[in-house]
Amino acid sequence: MAVRAVRGAVQLERDEAGHMGERVGALLTAVLERNGLTQEDLISIWFTATPDLHCDFPAAAARGLGIVDVPLICAQELDIAGAMPRVVRVLAHIDTDRPRSEVAHVYLGAAAALRKDIAQ
């Protein structure tokens, strides 16, 4: 097994806790499914949110999925003029046999525009 990192992002339609939980939960589920992972393969997850999101911690969505024994941390994205609003990003460290070139990074909905070079 190797330690790899998988990236992802999702744009929220509104700053509401329930909506954040749904969208971040969908992002995490897609990251796991597209990479053939289980929660046991997770080492840690970093979440960032743009400064316009205040409703909840993105990590709460992970806890809602039952990811309770994995270290999680949340941080705020840089406030860059013209950046896409209401975005939650994820950087998950994983144990996997996949080579780096086969790690599937997940950008849902409008967030796919953030990384057209690696979004799958």
Side-chain angles (χ1 to χ4, degrees), residues 3-61:
V3 175
R4 301 279 185 228
V6 59
R7 293 274 322 264
V10 64
Q11 184 182 38
L12 305 185
E13 296 172 16
R14 57 194 175 278
D15 186 21
E16 295 176 3
H19 180 61
M20 179 181 281
E22 291 170 12
R23 299 301 295 143
V24 174
L27 175 61
L28 291 172
T29 299
V31 165
L32 292 173
E33 289 176 356
R34 293 184 194 179
N35 287 286
L37 302 169
T38 68
Q39 291 182 20
E40 292 298 314
D41 299 316
L42 295 170
I43 297 169
S44 64
I45 305 174
W46 280 81
F47 295 91
T48 64
T50 51
D52 52 1
L53 292 174
H54 308 278
C55 62
D56 203 357
F57 294 99

Side-chain angles (χ1 to χ4, degrees), residues 71-85:
L72 308 175
I73 192 164
C74 298
Q76 188 177 76
E77 278 288 326
L78 295 173
D79 191 8
I80 304 298
M84 185 179 288

